[in-house]
PDB file of all heavy atoms in Angstrom:
ATOM      1  N   ILE N 265     162.395 164.998 173.564  1.00  0.00           N
ATOM      2  CA  ILE N 265     161.593 164.217 174.568  1.00  0.00           C
ATOM      3  C   ILE N 265     160.607 165.107 175.143  1.00  0.00           C
ATOM      4  O   ILE N 265     159.484 164.576 175.414  1.00  0.00           O
ATOM      5  CB  ILE N 265     162.689 163.744 175.674  1.00  0.00           C
ATOM      6  CG1 ILE N 265     163.653 162.788 175.007  1.00  0.00           C
ATOM      7  CG2 ILE N 265     161.997 163.044 176.766  1.00  0.00           C
ATOM      8  CD1 ILE N 265     164.861 162.428 175.902  1.00  0.00           C
ATOM      9  N   VAL N 266     160.809 166.244 175.428  1.00  0.00           N
ATOM     10  CA  VAL N 266     159.856 167.218 175.892  1.00  0.00           C
ATOM     11  C   VAL N 266     158.660 167.304 175.053  1.00  0.00           C
ATOM     12  O   VAL N 266     157.433 167.222 175.498  1.00  0.00           O
ATOM     13  CB  VAL N 266     160.447 168.628 176.323  1.00  0.00           C
ATOM     14  CG1 VAL N 266     159.291 169.512 176.674  1.00  0.00           C
ATOM     15  CG2 VAL N 266     161.416 168.507 177.532  1.00  0.00           C
ATOM     16  N   GLY N 267     158.936 167.511 173.798  1.00  0.00           N
ATOM     17  CA  GLY N 267     157.889 167.603 172.784  1.00  0.00           C
ATOM     18  C   GLY N 267     157.049 166.386 172.688  1.00  0.00           C
ATOM     19  O   GLY N 267     155.781 166.406 172.329  1.00  0.00           O
ATOM     20  N   ALA N 268     157.696 165.160 172.911  1.00  0.00           N
ATOM     21  CA  ALA N 268     156.970 163.906 172.695  1.00  0.00           C
ATOM     22  C   ALA N 268     156.123 163.678 174.051  1.00  0.00           C
ATOM     23  O   ALA N 268     155.030 162.919 173.932  1.00  0.00           O
ATOM     24  CB  ALA N 268     157.865 162.755 172.542  1.00  0.00           C
ATOM     25  N   ALA N 269     156.531 164.208 175.089  1.00  0.00           N
ATOM     26  CA  ALA N 269     155.893 163.924 176.382  1.00  0.00           C
ATOM     27  C   ALA N 269     154.710 165.055 176.663  1.00  0.00           C
ATOM     28  O   ALA N 269     153.688 164.594 177.120  1.00  0.00           O
ATOM     29  CB  ALA N 269     156.918 163.906 177.463  1.00  0.00           C
ATOM     30  N   VAL N 270     154.961 166.235 176.651  1.00  0.00           N
ATOM     31  CA  VAL N 270     154.009 167.230 177.041  1.00  0.00           C
ATOM     32  C   VAL N 270     154.024 168.387 175.998  1.00  0.00           C
ATOM     33  O   VAL N 270     155.001 168.486 175.234  1.00  0.00           O
ATOM     34  CB  VAL N 270     154.318 167.734 178.443  1.00  0.00           C
ATOM     35  CG1 VAL N 270     154.234 166.787 179.531  1.00  0.00           C
ATOM     36  CG2 VAL N 270     155.775 168.423 178.452  1.00  0.00           C
ATOM     37  N   LYS N 271     152.977 169.117 176.067  1.00  0.00           N
ATOM     38  CA  LYS N 271     152.773 170.359 175.196  1.00  0.00           C
ATOM     39  C   LYS N 271     153.109 171.508 175.972  1.00  0.00           C
ATOM     40  O   LYS N 271     152.328 171.911 177.022  1.00  0.00           O
ATOM     41  CB  LYS N 271     151.428 170.473 174.540  1.00  0.00           C
ATOM     42  CG  LYS N 271     151.067 169.204 173.743  1.00  0.00           C
ATOM     43  CD  LYS N 271     151.947 169.052 172.507  1.00  0.00           C
ATOM     44  CE  LYS N 271     151.520 167.930 171.598  1.00  0.00           C
ATOM     45  NZ  LYS N 271     152.636 167.227 171.164  1.00  0.00           N
ATOM     46  N   VAL N 272     154.318 172.258 175.873  1.00  0.00           N
ATOM     47  CA  VAL N 272     154.633 173.327 176.548  1.00  0.00           C
ATOM     48  C   VAL N 272     155.273 174.331 175.683  1.00  0.00           C
ATOM     49  O   VAL N 272     155.552 174.064 174.498  1.00  0.00           O
ATOM     50  CB  VAL N 272     155.687 172.937 177.622  1.00  0.00           C
ATOM     51  CG1 VAL N 272     155.022 172.142 178.724  1.00  0.00           C
ATOM     52  CG2 VAL N 272     156.906 172.411 177.011  1.00  0.00           C
ATOM     53  N   SER N 273     155.305 175.606 176.037  1.00  0.00           N
ATOM     54  CA  SER N 273     156.012 176.597 175.152  1.00  0.00           C
ATOM     55  C   SER N 273     157.425 176.457 175.113  1.00  0.00           C
ATOM     56  O   SER N 273     158.044 175.706 175.755  1.00  0.00           O
ATOM     57  CB  SER N 273     155.686 178.063 175.879  1.00  0.00           C
ATOM     58  OG  SER N 273     156.529 178.124 177.073  1.00  0.00           O
ATOM     59  N   PRO N 274     158.008 176.910 173.833  1.00  0.00           N
ATOM     60  CA  PRO N 274     159.360 176.969 173.650  1.00  0.00           C
ATOM     61  C   PRO N 274     160.368 177.325 174.966  1.00  0.00           C
ATOM     62  O   PRO N 274     161.437 176.725 175.111  1.00  0.00           O
ATOM     63  CB  PRO N 274     159.669 177.801 172.418  1.00  0.00           C
ATOM     64  CG  PRO N 274     158.400 177.720 171.915  1.00  0.00           C
ATOM     65  CD  PRO N 274     157.275 177.856 172.790  1.00  0.00           C
ATOM     66  N   SER N 275     159.883 178.359 175.540  1.00  0.00           N
ATOM     67  CA  SER N 275     160.643 178.693 176.874  1.00  0.00           C
ATOM     68  C   SER N 275     160.719 177.678 177.860  1.00  0.00           C
ATOM     69  O   SER N 275     161.725 177.587 178.600  1.00  0.00           O
ATOM     70  CB  SER N 275     160.233 180.096 177.328  1.00  0.00           C
ATOM     71  OG  SER N 275     158.941 180.079 177.670  1.00  0.00           O
ATOM     72  N   ALA N 276     159.494 177.053 178.021  1.00  0.00           N
ATOM     73  CA  ALA N 276     159.413 175.970 178.996  1.00  0.00           C
ATOM     74  C   ALA N 276     160.304 174.830 178.618  1.00  0.00           C
ATOM     75  O   ALA N 276     160.802 174.139 179.445  1.00  0.00           O
ATOM     76  CB  ALA N 276     157.956 175.630 179.264  1.00  0.00           C
ATOM     77  N   VAL N 277     160.488 174.498 177.345  1.00  0.00           N
ATOM     78  CA  VAL N 277     161.256 173.429 176.849  1.00  0.00           C
ATOM     79  C   VAL N 277     162.753 173.742 177.280  1.00  0.00           C
ATOM     80  O   VAL N 277     163.316 172.905 177.710  1.00  0.00           O
ATOM     81  CB  VAL N 277     161.176 173.362 175.253  1.00  0.00           C
ATOM     82  CG1 VAL N 277     162.282 172.300 174.777  1.00  0.00           C
ATOM     83  CG2 VAL N 277     159.839 172.870 174.880  1.00  0.00           C
ATOM     84  N   ALA N 278     163.242 174.947 177.034  1.00  0.00           N
ATOM     85  CA  ALA N 278     164.574 175.276 177.367  1.00  0.00           C
ATOM     86  C   ALA N 278     164.728 175.231 178.942  1.00  0.00           C
ATOM     87  O   ALA N 278     165.794 174.645 179.429  1.00  0.00           O
ATOM     88  CB  ALA N 278     164.893 176.735 176.992  1.00  0.00           C
TER      89      ALA N 278
END
Side-chain angles (χ1 to χ4, degrees):
I265 295 169
V266 171
V270 294
K271 301 295 181 219
V272 293
S273 69
S275 62
V277 171

